[in-house]
Amino acid sequence: MEMNLNVTEHGTNPFDYWVVDNFLDYSVAKDLSAEFPDYEKEDWFAYDGWIAQKKICNKWDKFPPLTYKTFFNLLSTDFTQRLSDLTNKKPLYPDIGLHGGGWHMHVKGGNLAVHLDYSKHPKIPLQRKLNLILYLEDGYESSWGGDLQLWSHDEENKKPGEMVKTIEAKFNRAVIFDTTQNSWHGIPTKLECPKGKARKSFAVYYMTDLSETAVDRFRAHYVNVE
């Protein structure tokens, strides 16, 4: 399975991020989108509160064959090394347990409050370093909401400063970003997807050795920016 890492856009404001379009072969991305279960199926874990309206599934035994293969490849030693070379983040280790990762889906009314991801992994003595998010809803329109928002950091008040960058949830687009740079992000505005459409994504996380940027935050820290 070919995974493209030719960067479409790279920036450092408000923190390091990379955008890669056409991440997979188009037909593979279409087939992966079709493997997502219906939003009402019991396979999902639901977030239902002010911090998020979304569903996720990180259970390997629930993944159909192509989805399983794709996550396997994203977490392989070979791809992790390619990602490390691209971002110059070294060393990198894949979180094969998909803690907080896997399938993610938002439908109409969905959102995700602006937050910092966990810093120290709650199961292993490593630090979260990179997120890779792959968008998989063909024909998704930015007008429905769901653009990923990247926020600056207000050091004095230890909270988000200003929304600096938005990244459209374009089909077959991968977004990679560093989570150790006070990396506030989210999709705080509720989605307006039409019936039959959803904001589908894969989420994969990569770890590094504990460093001076690691703090005792074992869960995501959410804030209300409205």
Side-chain angles (χ1 to χ4, degrees):
M1 178 183 292
E2 292 294 326
M3 290 179 285
N4 168 40
L5 281 180
N6 293 320
V7 174
T8 306
E9 179 183 353
H10 167 55
T12 59
N13 185 22
F15 44 82
D16 293 346
Y17 70 88
W18 298 258
V19 178
V20 179
D21 289 330
N22 303 309
F23 182 73
L24 297 171
D25 181 83
Y26 176 80
S27 62
V28 172
K30 285 282 287 184
D31 290 343
L32 285 173
S33 182
E35 285 194 339
F36 274 72
D38 186 87
Y39 194 76
E40 302 305 323
K41 293 286 188 180
E42 296 181 356
D43 296 337
W44 298 103
F45 174 82
Y47 288 84
D48 186 13
W50 74 268
I51 65 170
Q53 291 284 338
K54 62 184 273 190
K55 292 186 177 181
I56 75 168
C57 178
N58 61 357
K59 297 179 180 178
W60 283 89
D61 61 315
K62 298 293 185 182
F63 296 150
L66 183 60
T67 295
Y68 194 108
K69 179 180 180 181
T70 304
F71 277 119
F72 181 86
N73 288 337
L74 287 169
L75 295 161
S76 68
T77 301
D78 177 69
F79 182 77
T80 302
Q81 185 60 56
R82 290 178 62 203
L83 198 60
S84 180
D85 292 342
L86 170 71
T87 62
N88 200 31
K89 310 295 183 180
K90 300 174 181 181
L92 281 185
Y93 314 109
D95 182 12
I96 58 175
L98 289 173
H99 181 74
W103 276 326
H104 287 202
M105 186 185 287
H106 299 77
V107 294
K108 185 175 182 179
N111 73 309
L112 180 63
V114 174
H115 63 284
L116 296 175
D117 291 321
Y118 69 79
S119 178
K120 294 181 179 178
H121 197 289
K123 306 273 187 187
I124 50 178
L126 294 173
Q127 177 182 2
R128 185 154 160 182
K129 184 62 176 174
L130 288 181
N131 287 3
L132 186 153
I133 312 297
L134 173 62
Y135 300 114
L136 286 168
E137 179 66 75
D138 195 11
Y140 193 90
E141 297 184 11
S142 184
S143 61
W144 302 338
D147 290 358
L148 178 65
Q149 297 184 6
L150 309 183
W151 288 65
S152 65
H153 177 63
D154 179 346
E155 178 61 28
E156 181 178 356
N157 297 297
K158 307 298 183 185
K159 67 178 186 179
E162 298 180 348
M163 199 271 287
V164 173
K165 174 71 179 177
T166 62
I167 301 175
E168 185 179 348
K170 182 180 177 182
F171 177 67
N172 203 17
R173 164 176 284 174
V175 178
I176 303 153
F177 59 93
D178 191 317
T179 60
T180 67
Q181 301 172 334
N182 292 310
S183 309
W184 296 100
H185 61 283
I187 46 172
T189 304
K190 291 187 179 296
L191 273 61
E192 293 293 340
C193 304
K195 186 175 181 180
K197 286 291 185 179
R199 187 184 187 274
K200 299 176 182 176
S201 62
F202 277 16
V204 183
Y205 310 137
Y206 300 86
M207 307 292 121
T208 194
D209 296 327
L210 294 172
S211 74
E212 68 279 358
T213 61
V215 297
D216 289 336
R217 186 176 65 248
F218 298 93
R219 302 179 65 179
H221 173 55
Y222 296 89
V223 297
N224 189 340
V225 296
E226 295 182 355

